[in-house]
Amino acid sequence: MLAKRIQPMASQAKRLYVELMFQVMGRALQAVSEVDGEVQKEAQALPEGFLFEMMVMPEGAKLIVEHIGGGRFHYHGDSAPRAVDVSIQFKHLTHAFLVLSFQEKTSIAFAHDRMLVDGDVSYAVRMTRVLNRLESFILPKIIAKRAVKEYPENLHLPEKLISAAQIYLKVATHFIQTARA
Amino acid sequence: MSNSYYEFFCPVKVIAGKAALEHIPYELGGLAAKRPMIVTDKGVRAAGLLDPVIAACEESGLEIVSIYDDVPPDSSTTVVRDIAAIYRKEKCDSIIAIGGGSAIDTGKAVNILVSEGGDDVAKYTGAGVLKRPLKPFLVVPTTAGTGSEVTSIAVITDEKKGVKLPFTSSYLLPNAAVIDPRMTLTLPPHITAATAMDAMTHAVESFTCMAKNPLSDAYAAAAIKKVSHSLLQVMDNPKDSDGRLELAQASTMAGIAFSNSMVGLVHSLGHATGAICHLPHGLCMSLYLPYVLEYNLETIRGPLGELLLYLEGPEIYAATPASRRAEASISALRKLRDALYKRCQLPRTLKETGKVTEEQLDAIAEMALDDGSIMFNPKEVTLKDARAVLQRAWA
Ligand SMILES: [Fe+2]
């Protein structure tokens, strides 16, 4: 484990950042699905009890949400109550960091083979759309543009939710700066 | 430093050209296979395409132990199970798939069962399930379009559940793809046209979608040049075996390109239309290609403009100002479609197919949005966007 000795801080910071971002996204997914019609519409096509996971290979951080019906998501933290239906797996911590720190768009990351989809692809496509929508909510427009292919025109969210999410985000951006240094 | 990154993989040996079929015994011998089974369909047998393969093997003292010639156009898990049972009963040790997409996909799925064991191929669906090489497997394509001989995916219908099961693994790739002009010589005109346009679409989408990379670009550009150059020649002179070989090679090259850089919205719409209106895949590709390129135009102006060189040749490319090349590429494709319509009535609009109603467009748009290939389309597509493209393709 030579690399560990050379760059212990950078790697540790990335790991913490990815874990934190998964938590931010998990909570935000649940919150957004309670108020946003677009997200609900997308989610409604998923079976009730559908479990979605994002994870870092081999045994890294995880984000698990469940579609509990009516287009609502429930955030399960990092442990699934049963086998997941669709899993998006980053091949390496660095790839997850690139995406979650908005240096690489989700769609580009797919195109770059940074992650694998395990499970029904049509559900994975749907979840990617939900995540894009989410990113444009919780990020300031300038960063969101970097994260998604196109910034949606119709974003109307209660002020409270946006500000809550942006508090998480401030923590996150602070992390990017530290981790990049 | 640029953020660009790509992967490229194609371990399939390509055996192409005159008397390529006669290499089959040697290739199987090199894989220590002595008892091959042929997996094919009735159309291939009726066209007499098995004869040269069987003759080539017999002349080298290689006996074809079993021939299954009943693969349906939409292969199922039951068919796969039945073929695997025959393979085991006849103690075969290798598979030669001869045909179009369905026969090849069936061959891949049968190979999973006879190598890994069991009767239910559904167990192996998904990505990364297979962990080791399968039995020796050769593919002889009889259409020039799908590129399935170089893709690591197979799609088989689960009849009980009524769903299409995808299988993906690099172990599904055949050991060799045998491309012999004799195998496509008798392809009827409308199938020649539709399958060649499928290959054209693979190459164009691979060159303009999000996962494009320098290696797949090289294959895609070469494939486009071959199709542009040879398709109409073959349409006018179906027995032109040099032209047939060019199309067959283009199809394989386009297959290598898109299996490494994926396809986009043309395929999302095409898959949905195929499922809802039961139109052949190649026909849908030819139909949607210009409309989707117009939709993507501003995102792909650069690469699409470059393609003019391969579509129309150096003179026209040089005479067209750089700022007009992308539009000129679309016009070149429209011109090719018009020429095909004149020769074999290959439809250019949904209305011309006579099989689609305007009421179905909403359902097609909806379904296209859930297709995996939409993730690689360079421009984001909403339901409204997809519906608008369909409207333009209507008439
Ligand atoms: Fe295709």
Side-chain angles (χ1 to χ4, degrees), chain A residues 13-14 16-25 28 97 99-103 135 138-140 143 146 163-181:
Chain A
K14 269 189 216 166
L16 282 171
Y17 175 80
V18 168
E19 276 170 23
L20 179 77
M21 265 320 277
F22 273 170
Q23 288 172 25
V24 170
M25 286 170 68
F97 180 73
V99 170
L100 297 176
S101 59
F102 318 108
Q103 302 178 59
E135 279 172 357
I138 62 172
L139 302 180
I143 301 188
R146 221 160 65 183
S163 54
Q166 286 187 349
I167 292 171
Y168 287 123
L169 181 78
K170 274 185 194 134
V171 188
T173 26
H174 181 71
F175 244 93
I176 302 184
Q177 281 150 10
T178 337
R180 262 182 181 166

Side-chain angles (χ1 to χ4, degrees), chain B residues 119-167:
Chain B
D119 283 323
D120 184 16
V121 77
K123 223 170 64 185
Y124 300 97
T125 185
V129 181
L130 301 173
K131 300 289 186 202
R132 53 181 178 195
L134 309 179
K135 301 281 182 201
F137 178 40
L138 301 190
V139 167
V140 186
T142 60
T143 62
T146 64
S148 310
E149 66 278 13
V150 285
T151 63
S152 48
I153 182 161
V155 181
I156 301 288
T157 304
D158 185 334
E159 283 166 322
K160 268 178 276 157
K161 294 195 189 130
V163 291
K164 290 195 169 193
L165 301 174
F167 300 85

Side-chain angles (χ1 to χ4, degrees), chain B residues 198 202 267 281 285:
Chain B
D198 187 22
H202 293 155
H267 273 80
H281 177 70
M285 296 299 101

Side-chain angles (χ1 to χ4, degrees), chain A residues 103 112 122 126 129 149, chain B residues 3 5 7 369-370 377 380:
Chain A
Q103 302 178 59
H112 283 175
S122 64
R126 199 165 272 279
R129 280 202 298 272
K149 268 196 253 179
Chain B
N3 252 343
Y5 170 89
E7 293 180 7
L369 229 54
D370 279 344
N377 194 65
E380 192 74 48

